[in-house]
Amino acid sequence: MKLMGDTMLNKSEILFFKNNRYFEAPKMLQIEITNRCPLNCAQCYKDLDNSRDMPISKFYEIIDEAVLIGVKYIMINGGEPLIHPNFIDIVKKITDSNLSAICYTSGYGMNSSLIEQLKNSSVDIAISLNGSIESIHNMSRDGFDISMAAIKLLYEHNMPFSINWVARHDNLDDFENVITLGRKYKAREIIVVCNKIAYDKRVHSPLSALDYNKLKEIINKDSNEKFITVQNCYNLLAQYVYEMPQSKTNGCSAGITACFITVNGKYAPCSHLYYEEEYSSILEYWKKSNVLKQLRCNETYLLKYCMSCERSNKCRVCRAVSEECHNDFTIGYKECPVYQKKA
């Protein structure tokens, strides 16, 4: 995410961040415009009971406040975002407000008319694809044919898009085939996403240490072309691959640069940290939430299972990579496959 480039921030925002190590107001919002979804993905982490759409008036209200407080970036979240009856109006509101956005989608509901309406918007489309063939994709996601049909349509309409790939043990051997497929259909990039806890509070098919080594080799082979990117919150992999310098803007962004608004208009740190709270505004939540305060004060090098690791001063692990660290922000990642004890 290029959101954090200094060119997008004014001097007072940068100064506040340097002094406090979080921003005075969020720079990114995840907005759950619907929690309805016609698919049945094995890795899904959402409770799809009592499904509904966010009223368009509520979305407009959120965006109006977002502009006022200095938000730069919107992540359109679902369910399946494309099935919201006012999806195009949502995109238009974002574009008219001079905000940038990304929408992660299975491609369900994608058609030529929709693509043409999206072409001049400021919303990037990322198609979720966990395998180059149906049998691999379906081990973690539903709707392979739907995703592939959307990719082909986007290619035919010369519409820029990305591919969103979750790194798992059961699809790692197929990753290079996904890369080949992405190049064939002129995807802008492959976004490597962390495998987080599913609805049953377990991480399915986690990567091993050997898997991380293989993934590192694949990503490093692509380093000159930069076709493969690692999602910002997957700091564990980014540090392992790139040995990045210490930065508060790398890694988990919850309460630091971003927060989440549920379909019910309530607040949480992110869509994977569903600690739902009710406040009168985004800014009130940002300033008063004790949950966000906990996330801000727990540097990785202070976490119980991370503090003895060589990467503890750089790696800011996602709190949704295990049930243990999801339930206790101070624990750290006990099962980390790339843990390296300090000398």
Side-chain angles (χ1 to χ4, degrees), residues 9 11 14 49 64 73 120 128 130 142 208 221 243 253 337:
L9 302 171
K11 288 183 179 179
I14 295 169
D49 293 338
D64 287 343
Y73 200 89
N120 295 320
S128 298
N130 278 8
D142 195 7
S208 67
K221 277 197 298 185
E243 294 293 336
S253 61

Side-chain angles (χ1 to χ4, degrees), residues 91-99 122:
V91 169
K92 186 175 186 302
K93 178 67 174 177
I94 293 169
T95 297
D96 290 349
S97 301
N98 294 317
L99 299 173
S122 59

Side-chain angles (χ1 to χ4, degrees), residues 51-314:
S51 297
R52 57 173 294 190
D53 300 321
M54 178 180 283
I56 190 67
S57 59
K58 180 62 180 177
F59 183 82
Y60 287 172
E61 177 187 316
I62 291 168
I63 296 299
D64 287 343
E65 185 189 353
V67 172
L68 285 174
I69 65 175
V71 171
K72 310 291 184 184
Y73 200 89
I74 304 295
M75 184 178 290
I76 304 173
N77 196 270
E80 170 46 65
L82 297 191
I83 68 174
H84 193 291
N86 303 112
F87 182 75
I88 289 298
D89 293 324
I90 284 169
V91 169
K92 186 175 186 302
K93 178 67 174 177
I94 293 169
T95 297
D96 290 349
S97 301
N98 294 317
L99 299 173
S100 298
I102 189 167
C103 176
Y104 292 105
T105 171
S106 67
Y108 188 95
M110 186 74 72
N111 56 49
S112 296
S113 174
L114 179 65
I115 292 171
E116 289 303 315
Q117 292 179 80
L118 290 173
K119 271 193 171 181
N120 295 320
S121 74
S122 59
V123 175
D124 293 331
I125 297 296
I127 302 295
S128 298
L129 190 74
N130 278 8
S132 66
I133 58 175
E134 185 171 14
S135 60
I136 296 175
H137 177 86
N138 284 0
M139 287 189 285
S140 52
R141 291 195 186 276
D142 195 7
F144 176 78
D145 290 343
I146 291 167
S147 298
M148 284 304 306
I151 286 171
K152 291 173 183 177
L153 266 178
L154 290 162
Y155 169 70
E156 290 167 6
H157 284 264
N158 198 29
M159 171 77 177
F161 72 97
S162 303
I163 290 175
N164 180 49
W165 179 82
V166 177
R168 298 164 51 103
H169 176 75
D170 59 18
N171 68 356
L172 181 60
D173 287 341
D174 180 59
F175 185 37
E176 291 181 287
N177 296 327
V178 173
I179 295 167
T180 299
L181 185 151
R183 293 189 189 281
K184 175 182 177 180
Y185 290 105
K186 308 296 183 185
R188 180 161 40 198
E189 61 183 350
I190 306 287
I191 306 169
V192 180
V193 180
C194 180
N195 186 13
K196 305 176 181 72
I197 56 174
Y199 183 58
D200 60 2
K201 302 301 180 186
R202 295 191 301 114
V203 177
H204 298 262
S205 196
L207 294 177
S208 67
L210 290 176
D211 291 336
Y212 267 88
N213 286 334
K214 181 169 185 176
L215 189 52
K216 180 177 181 177
E217 288 176 7
I218 294 170
I219 294 173
N220 280 337
K221 277 197 298 185
D222 172 72
S223 59
N224 290 331
E225 296 187 43
K226 298 182 180 179
F227 184 59
I228 303 170
T229 62
V230 179
Q231 191 178 45
N232 188 61
C233 65
Y234 201 178
N235 189 234
L236 179 69
L237 176 62
Q239 287 296 342
Y240 189 67
V241 172
Y242 304 122
E243 294 293 336
M244 299 162 65
Q246 184 176 6
S247 171
K248 188 70 171 182
T249 60
N250 292 329
C252 178
S253 61
I256 310 299
T257 63
C259 65
F260 174 60
I261 302 178
T262 75
V263 72
N264 299 314
K266 297 182 180 180
Y267 300 93
C270 89
S271 58
H272 293 275
L273 296 177
Y274 214 89
Y275 293 84
E276 195 177 49
E277 298 182 276
E278 191 165 0
Y279 285 88
S280 62
S281 68
I282 302 167
L283 206 53
E284 183 186 26
Y285 170 67
W286 190 256
K287 290 181 176 181
K288 294 184 178 181
S289 169
N290 287 327
V291 176
L292 295 187
K293 289 175 183 177
Q294 289 178 53
L295 285 165
R296 289 166 185 159
C297 71
N298 288 316
E299 298 288 352
T300 304
Y301 60 80
L302 298 176
L303 302 186
K304 180 179 177 182
Y305 293 123
C306 300
M307 61 191 302
S308 60
C309 178
E310 283 285 355
R311 297 183 180 87
S312 63
N313 65 331
K314 297 179 181 180

